[in-house]
Amino acid sequence: MPDTLKGVLERIVYQNEENHYTIGEFRPEGAKAITIVGAMPGAQVGETLALDGEWTQHPVHGAQFKVAKFTAELPASVHGIRKYLGSGLIPHIGPKYAERIVNKFGEDTLRIISDESGKLRQVEGIGAKRAKLIKEAWDEQTALREVMVFLQTYGVTTALCLRLIRKYGTPAKTILQNDPYRVAREVPGIGFKTADRIALNLGYANESAQRIDAGLLFALSELESEGHTAFPTSDLIDYAAKLLEVERPLVETRVPELVASEAFIELDAGGGKLLQLPLLERAEKRIAERVHAIAEAPSGLPSIQVDKAVAWAQEQAGFEFAPEQAAGVVAALRHKVSVLTGGPGTGKTTILRALVEIVKVKKARVLLAAPTGRAAQRMSESTGATAKTIHRLLEWDPSQGGFVRNEDKPLRADLVVVDETSMLDTRLAAALLQAVPEQAHLLFVGDVDQLPSVGAGNVLKDVIRFILQNKPGGCAVTRLDKIFRQGARSGIVEVSHAILHNRADPPAPATAPDQIDISTDLHFVHAPEPDRCLAAVTRLCSKLLPKWYGWADPVMDIQVLAPLHKGVAGIGNLNAELQQALNPHGRGVSIGPQRFAVGDKVIQTRNNYDLGIFNGDLGRVTAIDAESGTLAAQFDSGVVDFTRGDMLDLSPAYAISIHKSQGSEFPIVVIPLLKQHFIMLQRNLLYTGITRGRKKVFIVGDPAAYAMAVRNSESAERITGLGLRLKAMC
């Protein structure tokens, strides 16, 4: 028969965010403190816990109470309340204010905060504003506690529970109970399977129309997260039937209902039907319509004698353009919609600089844009003209919930140039093209051999394929293959082009980081085991690279790019090791499993239009307010202040995924590459990682993994409807 204990949780020694395994210091009523261990989701310091479990003997730490199940109550004693409030659990109440509040109200403290928060102004140092903030934080924590208790059997993390509260507020638990499938659709990270378990436990029928419809919608959303904007109807039915574990005919009968209600949009693909979500269908239609309209409209550029303009640009540059480069300039001036694609060192920058100079001397208006701040900054430096991120070019206005620039208020430009277009997903491309005036020339610049956009779609590849196959008037594609920049002296350029041509031999590997010849710009360190790879990456980043290259900031100028998140040499573990090595003493604040400290490099993982910060933006923590649990970070766009809720979208960025690095260049790039990464080892992934390095690239790992990546050119093809819609406009 299990033992039962009741007492106060004095301290949390360790807590695993994923499975809620906790090691704590617990004081039973009328007894000395003991160690308790077990899964205790939502348990907080200062709470009164009733525990069921058994005593065990740890070989090192001695007697421990292993918790099988528990219930929690808000603390009732002055000691427990002081512990509870002083733990930092409630923002705006640190140990100092916890002491003052408890001294003032004693055992009545929690009731006062909950029901009569105005009385908090009787406490020294607490004014109306702080009292209001404490009450709001208390209500949020109360709602969070209810949700966590409700969800504790479903494996939902504390961070995701907090995301639910931020989305729905105090009604979160009611919404979960009344419509769990809604939560799966609207809250990133919850997932259909979790919502489905909740629904089934609440009594929803396994074969109900509501469950099958939710499963179909979720299936198409999941496929969107893999990059697809559309999916064959038959394949989607198979996918959803497997997900739901029901017979295929049950799923098949629901598709016409979802099409009739316009939850799905059907697209005729010739040999079959594709299904799309309405938002993506509208975005693709807008792209196709705008490409057609711009291509067909008369040019707004002043009269330009193109051959003479190219000759003039060559004089300004001080050298004669190669035929491919001259052709790129000509295509952009003669065609309303053009694409310029090529790898590193092939002359894209020369063409852009020439175009900007020609258009400016003609007193025409040119706008330059790129998907990320770093790409825009690089574009500005290379052309000598101001470039903006697409979001800033389109002028996002939080008060309007959208972009200011659109069809009704277009951009003022005669030439719009968009760099790093491989990063451009369907939704952002649609917003951009809506704002491009019809008389303007539009030039897409990008490397079609890189990874496609993080968001759904394959805009650059779809547009290129459409132009090459259909040769519509007013459109042109220029492909650059010849290397001009740095020539054979650049290992980065040479190796990246060798990868594209399926040459699988890596650079000669050094047996240890210390044996590298630092005079070259691309290196391979032989470390084929995960532990050795992790150690070599950490040593390079924290010791050797800062010593070899004194100009490099070891946090912001060195970027680790990894193929996978999990594993010994995965992004999660790399960040933990590198944070400890590069910023071990920073004053920190925790949110969910993440701990951030002043000086940490961070990455934004979702678009936050209210803060003006976007998925993939990199910054550095500049300030921490431990009392409120908030932080400030410096990004390219300026300093951004993060609340606890906003911090859910921040992650450490000492190591990031190669996908997240798109559009950025870093002075020094370090790439761990192991056979354990096999699921992600693809040619375009390796190519993208290497071409992110501006000055130096270090590959650390197994030469066999390098060869595997080069040989694997069959990256998953994205299914979209854009090509069909572009063709339909011809």
Side-chain angles (χ1 to χ4, degrees), residues 29-241:
E29 294 174 344
K32 293 182 178 179
I34 62 170
T35 299
I36 59 173
V37 298
M40 287 178 274
Q44 304 291 349
V45 170
E47 287 182 322
T48 297
L49 304 181
L51 310 177
D52 288 342
E54 60 182 0
W55 286 97
T56 61
Q57 192 71 24
H58 190 277
V60 176
H61 302 295
Q64 298 179 337
F65 189 80
K66 186 176 180 181
V67 178
K69 64 178 183 178
F70 79 102
T71 57
E73 304 169 3
L74 287 174
S77 68
V78 169
H79 170 74
I81 294 169
R82 188 178 284 115
K83 280 272 186 185
Y84 186 69
L85 294 181
S87 67
L89 176 68
I90 310 297
H92 312 290
I93 302 181
K96 179 178 70 174
Y97 282 107
E99 188 74 23
R100 292 179 185 176
I101 293 169
V102 175
N103 286 346
K104 177 71 176 176
F105 300 114
E107 293 180 358
D108 215 20
T109 294
L110 300 186
R111 187 190 63 77
I112 292 291
I113 296 174
S114 179
D115 302 330
E116 301 180 56
S117 58
K119 289 185 177 180
L120 290 170
R121 296 169 64 181
Q122 299 173 17
V123 177
E124 181 189 353
I126 296 182
K129 182 178 179 181
R130 183 178 288 273
K132 182 174 181 288
L133 290 171
I134 290 172
K135 172 67 164 114
E136 289 173 351
W138 174 263
D139 289 344
E140 180 180 278
Q141 184 60 35
T142 302
L144 177 62
R145 178 190 177 86
E146 286 186 354
V147 168
M148 288 192 68
V149 170
F150 179 69
L151 292 176
Q152 63 181 304
T153 59
Y154 301 105
V156 178
T157 65
T158 306
L160 282 176
C161 288
L162 185 54
R163 197 184 295 281
L164 277 167
I165 301 303
R166 299 293 292 183
K167 174 72 175 177
Y168 300 120
T170 51
K173 181 182 175 184
T174 303
I175 290 170
L176 273 166
Q177 291 172 317
N178 292 341
D179 191 357
Y181 295 117
R182 172 186 169 187
V183 174
R185 292 192 302 271
E186 296 180 352
V187 182
I190 290 294
F192 175 81
K193 291 183 179 178
T194 299
D196 197 38
R197 288 202 306 274
I198 296 169
L200 293 174
N201 284 345
L202 290 172
Y204 285 73
N206 191 57
E207 298 178 352
S208 68
Q210 186 178 2
R211 179 174 184 262
I212 292 171
D213 289 356
L216 275 162
L217 287 163
F218 175 74
L220 201 49
S221 297
E222 279 291 279
L223 292 162
E224 179 186 341
S225 71
E226 295 175 14
H228 306 291
T229 65
F231 212 69
T233 302
S234 180
D235 293 342
L236 179 66
I237 291 168
D238 290 338
Y239 186 102

Side-chain angles (χ1 to χ4, degrees), residues 230 265-269 272-276 284 720-721 724-725:
I265 306 297
E266 202 168 52
L267 176 64
D268 190 347
K273 301 285 188 182
L274 298 177
L275 292 175
Q276 291 188 284
E284 287 189 343
T720 76
L724 292 167
R725 299 189 186 285

Side-chain angles (χ1 to χ4, degrees), residues 57 69 176 247 313 330 338 369 396 466 503 539 542 596 699:
Q57 192 71 24
K69 64 178 183 178
L176 273 166
E247 295 297 321
V330 170
S338 58
W396 175 266
F466 161 71
R503 296 202 292 272
R539 179 165 167 72
S542 62
F596 301 104
I699 303 170

